[in-house]
Amino acid sequence: MAKTRKRGGYAGTPDRAHPRGRHRPRDHRGGGHGARRGGSGSGTARLAPHRRGADTFRRTGSALSPADLARIRGEFAATLKGPVGLPEVRHPDGTEAGVLGGILRTGLDAYANVRPVATTPGIPGALAGSPRIDYVIVRENTEGLYASRGRGVGNEHAHVDQLLVTRAGTERIVRRAFEIAVGRSGAPADGVRRVTCVDKANVLPSLAFFRRVFNEVAAEFRLSHPDIVAEHRYVDACAAELITNPGRYDVLVTENLLGDILSDIGAATVGGLGTCPSGNLGDGAAYFEPVHGSAPDLAASAAGPDAANPSAQIRSGAMLLDHLGERAAADRVRAAVDAVAAELIGHGEGFSCAAFAGRAAEHLRAG
């Protein structure tokens, strides 16, 4: 595959693209949209919207039913999920109950959480000197500390959550990270294609194991791609460098919780959580969503929900199109978002969610 990179996006290998053939995206609004598989080969995506999440949990005791999960797995090529969850909707153990991430990631075996972090042309970043930033965090999605979701052990005196790292899980997430690096142009600062293993191997044996397996997979890739540099960073040092020297990073691969935290740090440097998309990819099913959550505090504020920045949600749709092999369409969507961001934000104009989305739609129609 050609070594092209989409700014703020990712490039997968050809066998990763639309593995289920013709597509029918599914949409979880508050919940999402899904792309239904069809046999026509027309290249069009038929949307099938569904509402799931916190309100569904309050009504039924489940944020997403097993039947819905089976339909997503079997009928849809990809899913576009909107932000879900309410802080007051919780399980008896205190964890949030109305979210879909844990259900979809494990239920679809969507083991790779791909989170691009990139500056937008014309928009000043949060860092001094506005360095160009363009890297991808590849977060293991089904293991790590989050594997203890709903499974922790505890009483009124203490609680314990386990950090799970398996060889199979680590091998496949590291391979995915290297595959993404193959399709990119390298770090902005030096053009070097590199994959950085981010861990705490000096403290936790589980993450020392993660690093060891990373090294084994890196050695395999070095045979066919000797130009891709494999390196390591401890997570605390990496967190600092994402602020002091973000341009040296290209692709980072890491454990579940660490990737969750690092991607939020990255988002803060390029305009906030409202600008960053993500994809959750397996070897078959996939779903796409903004990095941010539902922000009920914004909805309840004087500004109201129309003050939300929709660009992360729209960019997640572009990642879905990439995944389905519709890369020209994905590029058009990203270009429209970048243009509107430069018009509205870059010139200091205020904007509403509806106005931003409407302006982006105008760019798409004009282009």
Side-chain angles (χ1 to χ4, degrees), residues 184-207:
R184 287 174 53 86
S185 303
D190 56 16
V192 174
R193 293 194 297 177
R194 60 169 61 88
V195 179
T196 306
C197 174
V198 184
D199 56 46
K200 198 62 178 169
N202 57 331
V203 175
L204 297 175
S206 57
L207 295 184

Side-chain angles (χ1 to χ4, degrees), residues 3 182 219-227:
K3 296 175 183 176
V182 167
E220 295 175 12
F221 267 85
R222 197 172 297 121
L223 298 175
S224 56
H225 299 283
D227 61 313

Side-chain angles (χ1 to χ4, degrees), residues 6-23:
K6 295 168 181 58
R7 191 210 61 77
Y10 75 101
T13 52
D15 62 326
R16 299 290 190 191
H18 50 91
R20 298 186 179 208
R22 275 305 145 199
H23 18 282

Side-chain angles (χ1 to χ4, degrees), residues 51-69:
R51 293 187 181 274
R52 300 293 183 269
D55 185 60
T56 302
F57 182 88
R58 283 196 286 209
R59 290 185 290 102
T60 69
S62 175
L64 184 74
S65 72
D68 280 333
L69 182 61

Side-chain angles (χ1 to χ4, degrees), residues 14-356:
D15 62 326
R16 299 290 190 191
H18 50 91
R20 298 186 179 208
R22 275 305 145 199
H23 18 282
R24 175 183 166 202
R26 177 186 179 95
D27 170 31
H28 281 69
R29 294 179 196 170
H33 278 303
R36 187 181 298 277
R37 287 190 292 162
S40 65
S42 64
T44 59
R46 291 180 289 148
L47 295 179
H50 295 266
R51 293 187 181 274
R52 300 293 183 269
D55 185 60
T56 302
F57 182 88
R58 283 196 286 209
R59 290 185 290 102
T60 69
S62 175
L64 184 74
S65 72
D68 280 333
L69 182 61
R71 288 191 67 209
I72 294 171
R73 241 189 337 251
E75 295 183 28
F76 298 95
T79 296
L80 180 64
K81 186 181 83 62
V84 301
L86 292 171
E88 68 271 18
V89 179
R90 296 190 175 266
H91 293 293
D93 65 3
T95 58
E96 202 167 351
V99 292
L100 298 176
I103 299 172
L104 290 173
R105 288 167 184 165
T106 57
L108 301 177
D109 197 26
Y111 60 84
N113 186 199
V114 178
R115 293 187 164 188
V117 177
T119 45
T120 299
I123 306 300
L127 303 180
S130 298
R132 182 166 171 247
I133 299 170
D134 187 352
Y135 58 81
V136 179
I137 293 176
V138 184
R139 165 193 172 197
E140 203 292 317
N141 224 8
T142 60
E143 298 185 351
L145 194 58
Y146 287 0
S148 286
R149 188 195 303 255
R151 299 183 178 91
V153 177
N155 54 33
E156 289 305 308
H157 303 284
H159 271 261
V160 175
D161 294 317
Q162 293 183 322
L163 197 164
L164 173 68
V165 175
T166 70
R167 171 171 289 278
T170 306
E171 285 178 345
R172 66 183 185 175
I173 194 64
V174 173
R175 287 198 178 99
R176 181 67 71 124
F178 275 92
E179 289 169 357
I180 290 172
V182 167
R184 287 174 53 86
S185 303
D190 56 16
V192 174
R193 293 194 297 177
R194 60 169 61 88
V195 179
T196 306
C197 174
V198 184
D199 56 46
K200 198 62 178 169
N202 57 331
V203 175
L204 297 175
S206 57
L207 295 184
F209 177 64
F210 187 98
R211 178 180 287 206
R212 188 159 70 249
V213 176
F214 170 89
N215 290 340
E216 294 171 6
V217 175
E220 295 175 12
F221 267 85
R222 197 172 297 121
L223 298 175
S224 56
H225 299 283
D227 61 313
I228 297 181
V229 174
E231 65 172 16
H232 315 97
R233 283 290 187 278
Y234 294 135
V235 63
D236 41 357
C238 179
E241 281 197 319
L242 290 183
I243 296 171
T244 61
N245 192 19
R248 73 168 306 281
Y249 285 103
D250 183 22
V251 178
L252 303 87
V253 61
T254 191
E255 178 269 344
N256 207 332
L257 172 65
L258 302 185
D260 198 6
I261 296 170
L262 290 177
S263 59
D264 279 17
I265 293 174
T269 68
V270 297
L273 293 173
T275 67
C276 292
S278 74
N280 299 272
L281 312 176
D283 291 330
Y287 76 96
F288 300 84
E289 62 183 338
V291 169
H292 62 76
S294 56
D297 53 337
L298 177 62
S301 71
D306 201 36
N309 184 343
S311 58
Q313 185 75 62
I314 301 171
R315 285 177 169 139
S316 297
M319 288 185 72
L320 182 149
L321 291 169
D322 270 330
H323 177 73
L324 297 177
E326 304 290 348
R327 292 180 180 170
D331 282 344
R332 288 181 60 223
V333 171
R334 273 188 289 267
V337 172
D338 287 352
V340 175
E343 291 169 10
L344 298 182
I345 304 172
H347 292 108
E349 297 183 31
F351 68 92
S352 67
C353 181
F356 190 108

